[in-house]
Coordinates of all heavy atoms in Angstrom, one line a residue:
S1043 N -14.6 3.6 -9.7 CA -14.4 3.6 -8.2 C -13.5 4.7 -7.7 O -13.5 5.1 -6.6 CB -13.8 2.3 -7.7 OG -12.5 2.1 -8.2
G1044 N -12.8 5.3 -8.7 CA -11.8 6.3 -8.3 C -10.4 5.8 -8.0 O -9.5 6.6 -7.7
D1045 N -10.2 4.5 -8.0 CA -9.0 3.9 -7.6 C -7.9 4.1 -8.7 O -6.7 4.0 -8.4 CB -9.1 2.5 -7.3 CG -9.9 2.3 -6.0 OD1 -10.0 3.2 -5.1 OD2 -10.5 1.2 -5.8
G1046 N -8.3 4.2 -9.9 CA -7.4 4.3 -11.0 C -7.5 5.6 -11.7 O -8.6 6.1 -12.0
T1047 N -6.3 6.2 -12.1 CA -6.3 7.5 -12.8 C -5.2 7.4 -13.8 O -4.2 6.7 -13.7 CB -6.0 8.7 -11.8 OG1 -4.7 8.5 -11.1 CG2 -7.1 8.8 -10.8
F1048 N -5.4 8.2 -14.9 CA -4.4 8.4 -16.0 C -4.3 9.8 -16.3 O -5.3 10.6 -16.3 CB -4.9 7.6 -17.2 CG -4.0 7.8 -18.4 CD1 -2.9 7.2 -18.6 CD2 -4.4 8.8 -19.3 CE1 -2.1 7.4 -19.7 CE2 -3.7 9.0 -20.5 CZ -2.5 8.4 -20.6
Y1049 N -3.1 10.3 -16.7 CA -2.8 11.6 -17.1 C -2.0 11.6 -18.3 O -1.0 10.9 -18.5 CB -2.1 12.4 -16.0 CG -2.9 12.5 -14.7 CD1 -2.6 11.5 -13.7 CD2 -3.8 13.4 -14.5 CE1 -3.3 11.6 -12.5 CE2 -4.5 13.5 -13.3 CZ -4.3 12.6 -12.3 OH -5.0 12.6 -11.1
A1050 N -2.3 12.5 -19.2 CA -1.4 12.8 -20.4 C -0.1 13.4 -19.9 O -0.1 14.1 -18.9 CB -2.1 13.7 -21.4
D1051 N 0.9 13.1 -20.7 CA 2.3 13.6 -20.3 C 2.3 15.1 -20.1 O 3.0 15.7 -19.3 CB 3.3 13.2 -21.3 CG 3.6 11.7 -21.2 OD1 3.3 11.1 -20.2 OD2 4.2 11.2 -22.2
S1052 N 1.5 15.8 -20.9 CA 1.5 17.3 -20.9 C 1.0 17.9 -19.6 O 1.3 19.0 -19.3 CB 0.7 17.8 -22.1 OG -0.7 17.3 -22.1
V1053 N 0.2 17.1 -18.9 CA -0.4 17.6 -17.6 C 0.0 16.8 -16.4 O -0.3 17.2 -15.3 CB -1.9 17.6 -17.7 CG1 -2.4 18.4 -18.9 CG2 -2.5 16.2 -17.7
K1054 N 0.8 15.8 -16.6 CA 1.2 14.9 -15.4 C 2.0 15.7 -14.4 O 2.9 16.4 -14.8 CB 2.0 13.7 -16.0 CG 2.2 12.6 -14.9 CD 3.0 11.4 -15.6 CE 2.1 10.8 -16.7 NZ 2.8 9.7 -17.3
G1055 N 1.6 15.6 -13.2 CA 2.3 16.3 -12.1 C 1.7 17.7 -11.8 O 2.0 18.3 -10.8
R1056 N 0.8 18.2 -12.7 CA 0.2 19.4 -12.5 C -1.3 19.3 -12.3 O -1.9 20.1 -11.6 CB 0.4 20.4 -13.7 CG 1.9 20.7 -13.9 CD 2.1 21.7 -15.0 NE 1.6 21.3 -16.3 CZ 0.6 21.9 -17.0 NH1 0.0 23.0 -16.4 NH2 0.2 21.4 -18.1
F1057 N -2.0 18.3 -12.9 CA -3.4 18.2 -12.9 C -3.7 17.0 -12.0 O -3.0 16.0 -12.0 CB -4.0 17.9 -14.2 CG -4.0 19.2 -15.1 CD1 -3.3 20.3 -14.8 CD2 -4.8 19.1 -16.3 CE1 -3.3 21.4 -15.7 CE2 -4.8 20.2 -17.2 CZ -4.1 21.4 -16.8
T1058 N -4.9 17.0 -11.3 CA -5.3 15.9 -10.5 C -6.8 15.7 -10.7 O -7.6 16.6 -10.6 CB -5.1 16.1 -9.0 OG1 -3.7 16.4 -8.8 CG2 -5.5 14.9 -8.2
I1059 N -7.2 14.5 -11.1 CA -8.6 14.1 -11.3 C -9.1 13.4 -10.1 O -8.4 12.6 -9.4 CB -8.8 13.3 -12.6 CG1 -10.3 13.1 -12.9 CG2 -8.1 11.9 -12.4 CD1 -10.5 12.5 -14.3
S1060 N -10.3 13.7 -9.7 CA -10.9 13.0 -8.5 C -12.4 12.9 -8.7 O -13.0 13.6 -9.6 CB -10.6 13.7 -7.2 OG -11.1 15.0 -7.2
R1061 N -13.1 12.1 -7.9 CA -14.5 12.0 -8.0 C -15.1 11.8 -6.7 O -14.5 11.2 -5.8 CB -14.9 10.9 -9.0 CG -14.6 9.5 -8.5 CD -14.7 8.5 -9.7 NE -16.1 8.4 -10.2 CZ -16.4 8.0 -11.4 NH1 -15.5 7.4 -12.2 NH2 -17.7 8.0 -11.8
D1062 N -16.4 12.2 -6.6 CA -17.2 12.0 -5.4 C -18.5 11.5 -5.9 O -19.4 12.2 -6.3 CB -17.4 13.4 -4.6 CG -18.1 13.2 -3.3 OD1 -18.8 12.1 -3.1 OD2 -18.0 14.1 -2.4
N1063 N -18.6 10.1 -5.9 CA -19.7 9.5 -6.4 C -21.0 9.8 -5.6 O -22.1 9.8 -6.2 CB -19.5 8.0 -6.5 CG -18.6 7.6 -7.6 OD1 -18.3 8.3 -8.5 ND2 -18.0 6.4 -7.5
A1064 N -20.9 10.0 -4.3 CA -22.0 10.3 -3.5 C -22.7 11.6 -4.0 O -23.9 11.8 -3.8 CB -21.6 10.4 -2.0
K1065 N -21.8 12.6 -4.4 CA -22.3 13.9 -4.9 C -22.5 13.9 -6.4 O -23.0 14.9 -7.0 CB -21.4 15.0 -4.5 CG -21.2 15.2 -3.0 CD -20.3 16.3 -2.7 CE -20.2 16.5 -1.2 NZ -19.3 17.6 -0.8
N1066 N -22.2 12.8 -7.1 CA -22.3 12.7 -8.5 C -21.5 13.8 -9.3 O -22.0 14.4 -10.3 CB -23.8 12.8 -8.9 CG -24.2 11.8 -9.9 OD1 -23.6 10.7 -10.1 ND2 -25.3 12.1 -10.7
V1067 N -20.3 14.0 -8.8 CA -19.4 15.0 -9.4 C -18.0 14.5 -9.5 O -17.5 13.7 -8.7 CB -19.4 16.3 -8.4 CG1 -18.4 17.3 -9.0 CG2 -20.8 16.9 -8.3
V1068 N -17.4 14.9 -10.6 CA -16.0 14.6 -10.9 C -15.2 16.0 -11.0 O -15.8 16.9 -11.6 CB -15.8 13.8 -12.2 CG1 -14.3 13.7 -12.5 CG2 -16.4 12.4 -12.0
Y1069 N -14.0 16.0 -10.5 CA -13.2 17.3 -10.5 C -11.9 17.1 -11.3 O -11.4 16.0 -11.4 CB -12.9 17.7 -9.1 CG -14.0 17.8 -8.1 CD1 -14.4 16.8 -7.3 CD2 -14.8 19.0 -8.1 CE1 -15.5 16.9 -6.4 CE2 -15.8 19.1 -7.3 CZ -16.2 18.1 -6.4 OH -17.3 18.2 -5.6
L1070 N -11.4 18.2 -11.8 CA -10.1 18.3 -12.3 C -9.4 19.5 -11.7 O -9.7 20.7 -12.1 CB -10.1 18.4 -13.9 CG -8.8 18.4 -14.5 CD1 -8.1 17.0 -14.4 CD2 -8.9 18.8 -16.0
Q1071 N -8.5 19.3 -10.8 CA -7.7 20.3 -10.2 C -6.5 20.6 -11.1 O -5.7 19.7 -11.4 CB -7.2 19.9 -8.8 CG -6.3 20.9 -8.1 CD -7.1 22.2 -7.8 OE1 -8.2 22.2 -7.3 NE2 -6.4 23.4 -8.0
M1072 N -6.3 21.8 -11.6 CA -5.3 22.2 -12.5 C -4.4 23.3 -11.8 O -4.8 24.4 -11.4 CB -5.9 22.8 -13.8 CG -6.9 21.9 -14.4 SD -7.5 22.6 -16.0 CE -8.3 24.1 -15.5
N1073 N -3.1 22.9 -11.6 CA -2.2 23.7 -11.0 C -1.0 24.1 -11.9 O -0.8 23.4 -12.9 CB -1.6 23.0 -9.8 CG -2.6 22.7 -8.7 OD1 -3.5 23.5 -8.5 ND2 -2.4 21.6 -8.0
R1074 N -0.3 25.2 -11.6 CA 0.8 25.7 -12.4 C 0.4 25.7 -13.9 O 1.1 25.2 -14.8 CB 2.0 24.8 -12.2 CG 2.5 24.7 -10.7 CD 3.8 24.0 -10.5 NE 3.8 22.6 -11.0 CZ 3.3 21.6 -10.3 NH1 2.8 21.8 -9.1 NH2 3.4 20.4 -10.8
L1075 N -0.6 26.4 -14.1 CA -1.2 26.5 -15.5 C -0.2 27.4 -16.4 O 0.4 28.3 -15.9 CB -2.6 27.1 -15.5 CG -3.6 26.2 -15.0 CD1 -4.9 27.0 -14.6 CD2 -4.0 25.1 -16.0
T1076 N -0.2 27.0 -17.7 CA 0.6 27.7 -18.7 C -0.3 28.1 -19.8 O -1.4 27.6 -19.9 CB 1.8 26.9 -19.2 OG1 1.3 25.9 -20.1 CG2 2.5 26.2 -18.1
P1077 N 0.1 29.1 -20.6 CA -0.7 29.4 -21.8 C -1.0 28.3 -22.7 O -2.1 28.3 -23.4 CB 0.2 30.5 -22.5 CG 0.9 31.1 -21.5 CD 1.3 30.0 -20.5
E1078 N -0.2 27.2 -22.7 CA -0.5 26.0 -23.5 C -1.7 25.2 -23.0 O -2.2 24.4 -23.7 CB 0.8 25.1 -23.6 CG 2.0 25.8 -24.2 CD 1.8 26.3 -25.6 OE1 1.2 25.5 -26.4 OE2 2.1 27.4 -25.9
D1079 N -2.1 25.5 -21.8 CA -3.3 24.9 -21.3 C -4.6 25.5 -21.7 O -5.7 25.0 -21.4 CB -3.3 24.8 -19.8 CG -2.1 24.0 -19.2 OD1 -1.9 22.9 -19.8 OD2 -1.4 24.5 -18.3
T1080 N -4.5 26.7 -22.4 CA -5.7 27.4 -22.9 C -6.5 26.5 -23.8 O -6.0 26.0 -24.9 CB -5.3 28.7 -23.5 OG1 -4.7 29.6 -22.6 CG2 -6.6 29.4 -24.1
A1081 N -7.8 26.3 -23.5 CA -8.6 25.4 -24.4 C -10.0 25.4 -23.8 O -10.2 25.9 -22.7 CB -8.0 24.0 -24.4
V1082 N -10.9 24.8 -24.5 CA -12.2 24.4 -24.0 C -12.1 23.0 -23.4 O -11.6 22.1 -24.1 CB -13.3 24.5 -25.1 CG1 -14.7 24.0 -24.5 CG2 -13.5 25.9 -25.6
Y1083 N -12.5 22.9 -22.2 CA -12.3 21.6 -21.5 C -13.7 20.9 -21.4 O -14.7 21.5 -21.0 CB -11.8 21.8 -20.1 CG -10.3 22.1 -20.1 CD1 -9.8 23.3 -20.5 CD2 -9.4 21.1 -19.6 CE1 -8.4 23.5 -20.5 CE2 -8.0 21.3 -19.6 CZ -7.5 22.5 -20.1 OH -6.2 22.8 -20.1
Y1084 N -13.7 19.6 -21.7 CA -14.9 18.8 -21.7 C -14.8 17.6 -20.8 O -13.7 17.0 -20.7 CB -15.2 18.3 -23.1 CG -15.4 19.3 -24.2 CD1 -14.3 19.8 -24.9 CD2 -16.6 19.8 -24.5 CE1 -14.4 20.7 -25.9 CE2 -16.8 20.8 -25.5 CZ -15.7 21.2 -26.2 OH -15.8 22.1 -27.2

């Protein structure tokens, strides 16, 4: 439903997950990125 979210400690406060079920899309907004965030995201 989008009402519940969870974040790993490493990204808490910087990343935001959201979804738009009508558009069939989920987002991950990533702010204040650091080199430690470099990765392939799935």
Side-chain angles (χ1 to χ4, degrees):
S1043 67
D1045 292 337
T1047 58
F1048 171 84
Y1049 301 94
D1051 288 342
S1052 58
V1053 306
K1054 191 176 300 181
R1056 299 187 298 118
F1057 289 13
T1058 303
I1059 190 171
S1060 62
R1061 66 191 301 162
D1062 187 339
N1063 286 342
K1065 296 181 179 180
N1066 226 23
V1067 176
V1068 174
Y1069 304 98
L1070 184 68
Q1071 178 68 45
M1072 306 185 296
N1073 298 326
R1074 300 189 301 280
L1075 288 162
T1076 77
E1078 300 302 313
D1079 296 315
T1080 295
V1082 177
Y1083 283 72
Y1084 302 88

